[in-house]
Amino acid sequence: MSLAPWQQQRLDTALAAWRAGRLGHAQLLCGPEQLGKRAVADALAARLLCDSPKDQPPCGRCRGCALREAGTHPDFRIITFEENANTGKLRTELVIDQVRALSGSMQMTAQRGGAQVVLIDPADALNTSAANALLKTLEEPADNRFLLLVSAAPQRLPATIRSRCQRIEFSVPEREVALGWLASQGHPAPRATEALDAAQGHPGLADAWLRAGHLALRDTTLKEWAGVARGIASPLGIAQLWMAEPALAGLRLRFVADAAVALARGIAGAPAVAGLTPPADVDKLAAWFDQLNRLRLQLSAPLKHELALAGLLAEWRGLMATTETRR
């Protein structure tokens, strides 16, 4: 699978450093979700573990490539969420036993005589004990040993870990680059433009929303949000409707949060579709936005979120009613 232009750029920079002997033993691939951090980490690992000369791309044919693709390379480990033996469900954090296992392997000679690579995704899911154990490994760098940490929330990692990593930063590409890539994925120009605007220039999100048909969900959500503001929809009813589909609840709140930001800035786009007027009290809108985002972060907790959301929507109605009164 080919990389997007902004992904290939990051990979090329990392490989140039590797060929020059300047690639640090720990790389932190960080930036917004769905910009291809894991794809670049996988591609970097593929090159580091390939038996071909350094100035060539991974061949896909050598023993190193075959073992990696089969998931049996003795010098390549992936640390991610594992199943909890007691509950049978995936853990929500990376635990110390996983890091201890990698620490032991990194102290041993590579079985194939080349590089050893450990990929941790998502690195920000390391719990405190696991992060402390990883720090010990970072403090003892060894030649030809590479740790690739993937994170959409690097601020959650301890500063002591971040300071010991070279950063491979991912950011939203320029608009024309994003639109060109969306076209290469088979999306017609009008829909690609609409999705990219909805995703605030983020091509990965735009692509995902187009493939899943989520632009229609966005339109419906914003109309319901506007209905609450106008007093034609019940805050509790809309809250129950949105929370009835847990898999989409966070996405609905994201659409509303993005629209609130756009509304505060008084720009065109989603709020204009909803037919709303920017509120007179932007400070109150900002405070409301913060509460909404906190609720988004709490959705994974086993709590009753309908009432909390209903309360926020009732506040939203009051905020917009005040705006109408001042007009």
Side-chain angles (χ1 to χ4, degrees), residues 291-305:
Q291 293 180 65
L292 184 70
N293 268 339
R294 281 197 291 272
L295 179 60
R296 284 177 60 199
L297 295 175
Q298 295 169 1
L299 287 181
S300 59
L303 303 172
K304 283 287 185 180
H305 301 293

Side-chain angles (χ1 to χ4, degrees), residues 214-227 238 241-242 252 255 273:
H214 283 157
L215 288 188
L217 177 70
R218 172 178 173 271
D219 290 342
T220 299
T221 299
L222 294 184
K223 287 176 182 176
E224 292 164 346
W225 185 54
I238 294 300
L241 176 66
W242 290 359
R252 285 180 182 271
F255 291 149
V273 173

Side-chain angles (χ1 to χ4, degrees), residues 124-298:
D124 49 85
L126 290 160
N127 65 22
T128 302
S129 297
N132 289 336
L134 179 63
L135 183 59
K136 294 180 180 179
T137 300
L138 290 172
E139 289 173 339
E140 300 173 357
D143 291 339
N144 225 13
R145 308 287 195 273
F146 300 99
L147 288 167
L148 309 180
L149 283 67
V150 178
S151 175
Q155 70 278 6
R156 297 178 187 170
L157 284 165
T160 48
I161 287 180
R162 297 197 306 270
S163 67
R164 286 168 172 78
C165 296
Q166 290 180 340
R167 294 172 75 100
I168 301 177
E169 300 265 6
F170 287 70
S171 58
V172 171
E174 294 182 358
R175 183 176 180 81
E176 292 307 312
V177 172
L179 287 173
W181 178 75
L182 287 171
S184 75
Q185 302 305 299
H187 301 302
R191 295 292 284 170
T193 299
E194 180 185 0
L196 192 65
D197 288 341
Q200 300 185 19
H202 190 313
L205 283 179
D207 177 59
W209 292 351
L210 285 167
R211 293 182 187 280
H214 283 157
L215 288 188
L217 177 70
R218 172 178 173 271
D219 290 342
T220 299
T221 299
L222 294 184
K223 287 176 182 176
E224 292 164 346
W225 185 54
V228 171
R230 297 192 183 98
I232 60 177
S234 160
L236 180 57
I238 294 300
Q240 291 173 334
L241 176 66
W242 290 359
M243 291 299 171
E245 299 179 272
L248 297 177
L251 185 57
R252 285 180 182 271
L253 296 189
R254 180 188 183 117
F255 291 149
V256 170
D258 288 347
V261 170
L263 191 60
R265 293 172 178 168
I267 63 176
V273 173
L276 298 175
T277 302
D281 195 331
V282 177
D283 289 339
K284 286 186 177 180
L285 178 59
W288 185 86
F289 169 82
D290 289 340
Q291 293 180 65
L292 184 70
N293 268 339
R294 281 197 291 272
L295 179 60
R296 284 177 60 199
L297 295 175
Q298 295 169 1

